């Protein structure tokens, strides 16, 4: 297993649970001792980042966040039903998450915010309005109803190109909600928008409240990753940290048709990059994470801006070397060669009291845990997520933490006159406070409490993610390799950058399903036995609600 992200963890569980493997037959090699899926305490990051270590080793860090979905994450819930809870003996991780979510259902009333305050609030005239005109409806319906076999007609077509004859689409409530919920940009692939519209059509009619969002009790590293690792470790799986696989060696075969991995070259990152080699036997299997959206990230702190990391993604470098040898392994440059399509900047705020979080609740009119707020008039397009507290198990009772991101970090802020890329954590917080103050209807405006808020700050940690939404980059059929490429005898890809039908990238579900497909294919388990998926796009009642939503 190359990479210790959630996809390979899932593959390890499938190998043991469904493939009859013993744990001691599985070795996982990764650059981190924790998956950067969601968040971990900053103290853990000092070793990970070395010369990028924080000068103020305090606070919490979430590079990003993921929204789960009860109805469409079929593989995730199935696997996590096999993983025991670390917090509640006798329960599974699926029990943990769904029980928590059912007790704390999401209902966002401040999803979009403009200069008048929450825009899609029940008290506003345009509550629930998608704001489509007929041309918008026609183009969106045409995209969604395109048969899967015709997806190649969307090769290298951006969302902006698809809606070029109706620029009004990009001014609608729908677009502001959709792009910031799922991290689409105008430059993103129209293919992926089509897939999302089909796979997530159940959520289309309630996207203004995000009622379909399923939240975990804590950040997903602690709620999902740690229990999965514990399951695997208890069964004898070997984890090797800080090992970077640098090259796949292949068997020379006639016309290079057969893909057979015979060896791995690697470097020990924490040992002066000492080089090593692993022989791959004829019956061994190799599962590669061919691309990670957290690769080449850069971190700053409260008083220090990050320094952009210009490295090509390490996980994609390995993929690129392999793709140069075999025509069927895709084109990583499509996803990792243009940061303008994929980058954004996130920041995590930790405070030593709850005043700021309470002020955000007052202004947005919702309690912590109710999804996502976006300031649609923000030049760099600012959004925040205030989770249920505590979001990290190590949080003290007096501490609060929340996460935010800017989708267009090359743009200047509205309250801090410099590009987000050049801002310190403090300046990103000032940009947020400026947006909050501009929409604060209270006579006792939040700007009157700036000094009090600043005194409460433990840290604000900015992170640049050059490949955050790289899986949405414009692409063509063949740019992503199959999970198990044609003629592969022992190599599978598990990531957001492998190809499988119907499902949608930028979800844990995609990685879990790729894991199942990889294991079942290489072990000759019939694919007909894979976890069944829902097809709400074929449900007349769901489609009727979606049609009604188009016109509201």
């Amino acid at each position: 297993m190359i990479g210790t992200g959630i996809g390979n963890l899932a593959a390890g569980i499938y190998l043991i649970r469904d493939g009859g493997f013993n744990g001691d037959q599985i070795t996982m090699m990764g650059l981190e001792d924790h998956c950067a899926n969601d968040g971990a305490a900053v103290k853990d990051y000092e070793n990970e980042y070395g010369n990028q270590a924080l000068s103020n080793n305090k606070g919490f860090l979430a590079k990003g966040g993921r929204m789960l979905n009860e109805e469409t994450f079929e593989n995730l819930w199935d696997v996590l039903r096999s993983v025991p809870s670390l917090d509640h003996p006798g329960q599974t991780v699926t029990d943990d998450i769904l029980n928590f979510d059912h007790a704390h259902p999401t209902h966002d009333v401040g999803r979009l915010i403009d200069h008048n305050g929450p825009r899609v609030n029940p008290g506003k005239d345009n509550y629930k309005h998608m704001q489509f005109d007929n041309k918008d409806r026609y183009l969106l319906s045409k995209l969604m109803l395109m048969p899967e076999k015709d997806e190649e007609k969307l090769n290298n077509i951006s969302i902006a190109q698809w809606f070029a004859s109706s620029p009004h689409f990009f001014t609608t409530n729908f677009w502001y909600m959709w792009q910031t919920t799922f991290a689409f940009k105008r430059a993103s692939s129209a293919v992926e928008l089509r897939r999302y519209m089909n796979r997530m059509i159940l959520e289309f009619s309630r996207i203004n409240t995000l009622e379909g969002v399923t939240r975990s009790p804590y950040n997903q590293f602690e709620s999902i990753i740690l229990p999965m690792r514990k399951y695997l470790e208890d069964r004898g799986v070997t984890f090797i940290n800080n090992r970077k696989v640098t090259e796949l060696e292949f068997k020379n075969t006639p016309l290079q048709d057969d893909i057979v991995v015979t060896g791995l070259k690697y470097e020990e990152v924490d040992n002066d990059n000492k080089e090593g080699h692993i022989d791959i036997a004829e019956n061994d299997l190799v599962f590669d994470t061919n691309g990670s959206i957290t690769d080449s990230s850069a971190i700053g702190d409260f008083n220090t801006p990050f320094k952009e990391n210009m490295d090509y993604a390490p996980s994609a470098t390995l993929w690129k070397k392999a793709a140069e040898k075999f025509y069927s392994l895709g084109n990583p440059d499509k996803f990792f060669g243009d940061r303008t399509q994929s980058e954004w900047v996130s920041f995590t705020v930790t405070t030593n009291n709850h005043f700021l979080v309470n002020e955000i609740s007052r202004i947005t009119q919702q309690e912590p845990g109710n999804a996502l707020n976006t300031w649609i008039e923000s030049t760099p397009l600012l959004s925040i997520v205030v989770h249920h507290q505590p979001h990290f198990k190590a949080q003290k009772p007096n501490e609060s933490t929340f996460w935010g991101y800017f989708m267009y970090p090359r743009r200047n802020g509205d309250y801090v006159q410099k590009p987000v890329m050049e801002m310190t954590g403090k300046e990103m917080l000032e940009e947020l406070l400026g947006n909050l103050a501009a929409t604060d209807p209270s006579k006792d405006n939040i700007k009157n409490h700036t000094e009090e808020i600043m005194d409460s700050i433990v840290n604000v940690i900015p992170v640049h993610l050059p490949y955050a939404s790289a899986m949405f980059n414009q692409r063509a059929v063949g740019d992503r390799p199959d999970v198990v490429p044609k003629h592969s005898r022992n190599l599978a890809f598990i990531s957001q950058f492998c190809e499988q039908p119907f499902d949608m990238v930028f979800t844990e579900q995609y990685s879990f399903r790729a894991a199942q497909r990889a294991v079942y294919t290489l072990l000759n388990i019939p694919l007909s036995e894979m976890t069944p998926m829902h097809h709400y796009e074929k449900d007349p009642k769901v489609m009727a609600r979606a049609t009604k939503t188009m016109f509201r």
Side-chain angles (χ1 to χ4, degrees), residues 372-388:
L372 179 65
N373 307 115
T374 296
W375 280 263
I376 64 172
E377 294 164 335
S378 162
T379 300
L381 198 55
L382 167 66
S383 299
I384 63 170
V385 177
V386 182
H387 299 281
H388 289 279

Side-chain angles (χ1 to χ4, degrees), residues 60 351-352 354 389-390 392-400:
F60 295 91
T351 63
N352 63 20
H354 307 304
Q389 303 294 307
F392 297 86
K393 291 183 178 181
Q395 266 181 256
K396 299 174 183 176
N398 60 297
E399 290 179 331
S400 293

Side-chain angles (χ1 to χ4, degrees), residues 473-510:
N473 283 16
Q474 296 161 39
R475 65 172 179 84
V477 172
D479 285 337
R480 300 194 304 216
D482 289 338
V483 174
V484 178
K486 188 177 182 181
H487 302 302
S488 173
R489 300 293 177 254
N490 66 345
L491 174 65
F493 294 115
I494 301 174
S495 73
Q496 302 292 294
F497 300 95
C498 58
E499 177 60 32
Q500 46 186 344
F502 183 62
D503 220 341
M504 54 190 180
V505 291
F506 211 2
T507 63
E508 289 93 334
Q509 162 62 22
Y510 199 85

Side-chain angles (χ1 to χ4, degrees), residues 91-150:
Q91 292 189 9
T92 68
V93 174
T94 293
D95 295 330
D96 268 0
I97 296 173
L98 295 185
N99 289 345
F100 175 83
D101 183 70
H102 295 166
H104 304 88
T106 299
H107 188 83
D108 199 333
V109 299
R111 178 64 188 85
L112 301 181
I113 299 174
D114 60 21
H115 60 279
N116 292 315
R119 176 184 270 202
V120 289
N121 181 289
K124 296 291 182 70
D125 290 339
N126 62 358
Y127 173 58
K128 293 186 179 181
H129 289 192
M130 295 294 103
Q131 298 183 321
F132 294 130
D133 63 19
N134 285 336
K135 189 66 174 289
D136 300 332
R137 296 183 185 104
Y138 167 73
L139 290 172
L140 191 59
S141 299
K142 180 181 178 182
L143 180 67
M144 180 182 171
L145 296 173
M146 178 182 290
E148 187 173 348
K149 64 182 178 60
D150 293 339

Side-chain angles (χ1 to χ4, degrees), residues 20-290:
F21 270 54
N22 296 321
D24 60 10
Q25 295 176 277
I26 301 170
T27 299
M28 297 202 173
M29 298 174 286
L31 287 177
E32 305 173 11
D33 62 1
H34 56 271
C35 172
N37 169 274
D38 187 52
V42 164
K43 59 182 174 64
D44 292 334
Y45 278 75
E46 186 156 8
N47 290 328
E48 177 189 344
Y49 286 96
N51 60 5
Q52 297 181 31
L54 306 178
S55 60
N56 181 2
N57 190 23
K58 298 178 180 178
F60 295 91
L61 170 60
K63 287 183 178 180
R66 298 295 187 91
M67 298 180 183
L68 307 176
N69 182 261
E70 183 171 352
E71 290 84 358
T72 60
F73 281 33
E74 299 93 341
N75 285 80
L76 179 141
W77 303 124
D78 174 57
V79 169
L80 296 184
R81 284 190 183 94
S82 299
V83 179
S85 165
L86 297 184
D87 299 320
H88 301 100
Q91 292 189 9
T92 68
V93 174
T94 293
D95 295 330
D96 268 0
I97 296 173
L98 295 185
N99 289 345
F100 175 83
D101 183 70
H102 295 166
H104 304 88
T106 299
H107 188 83
D108 199 333
V109 299
R111 178 64 188 85
L112 301 181
I113 299 174
D114 60 21
H115 60 279
N116 292 315
R119 176 184 270 202
V120 289
N121 181 289
K124 296 291 182 70
D125 290 339
N126 62 358
Y127 173 58
K128 293 186 179 181
H129 289 192
M130 295 294 103
Q131 298 183 321
F132 294 130
D133 63 19
N134 285 336
K135 189 66 174 289
D136 300 332
R137 296 183 185 104
Y138 167 73
L139 290 172
L140 191 59
S141 299
K142 180 181 178 182
L143 180 67
M144 180 182 171
L145 296 173
M146 178 182 290
E148 187 173 348
K149 64 182 178 60
D150 293 339
E151 274 193 344
E152 65 182 19
K153 295 178 180 178
L154 300 173
N155 280 357
N156 302 313
I157 298 295
S158 69
I159 296 172
Q161 290 171 297
W162 182 262
F163 288 96
S165 63
S166 187
H168 173 267
F169 175 81
F170 298 106
T171 69
T172 62
N173 280 344
F174 167 80
W175 174 247
Y176 281 118
M177 290 186 285
W178 194 269
Q179 70 168 327
T180 52
T181 299
F182 301 115
F184 279 97
K185 297 185 177 185
R186 296 187 189 196
S188 299
S189 168
V191 175
E192 300 307 333
L193 178 59
R194 177 198 168 275
R195 290 195 179 193
Y196 262 73
M197 286 300 300
N198 278 279
R199 187 76 163 103
M200 296 297 286
I201 194 62
L202 182 67
E203 305 309 321
F204 180 64
S205 59
R206 56 188 186 184
I207 191 173
N208 56 303
T209 60
L210 291 177
E211 291 176 50
V213 172
T214 302
R215 296 290 191 190
S216 54
Y218 299 99
N219 63 83
Q220 290 177 18
F221 172 66
E222 293 181 293
S223 289
I224 298 178
I225 300 295
L226 283 182
M228 292 177 75
R229 285 182 68 105
K230 180 73 162 51
Y231 174 99
L232 294 167
E233 289 167 348
D234 286 349
R235 285 156 181 78
V237 172
T238 299
F239 284 86
I240 302 176
N241 303 318
N242 295 311
R243 175 174 287 181
K244 179 169 72 173
V245 177
T246 57
E247 188 172 348
L248 302 171
E249 296 177 331
F250 295 96
K251 180 179 181 180
N252 288 324
T253 57
L255 302 178
Q256 289 194 323
D257 277 346
D258 285 351
I259 299 173
V260 182
V261 179
T262 59
L264 306 177
K265 293 181 179 180
Y266 67 84
E267 295 176 356
E268 298 289 359
V269 177
D270 59 352
N271 189 19
D272 296 323
N273 292 334
K274 182 180 179 181
E275 296 182 351
H277 183 275
I278 299 172
D279 291 327
I280 301 299
E282 183 176 345
N283 293 323
D284 288 343
L285 306 177
V286 177
F287 298 83
D288 178 35
T289 306
N290 64 312

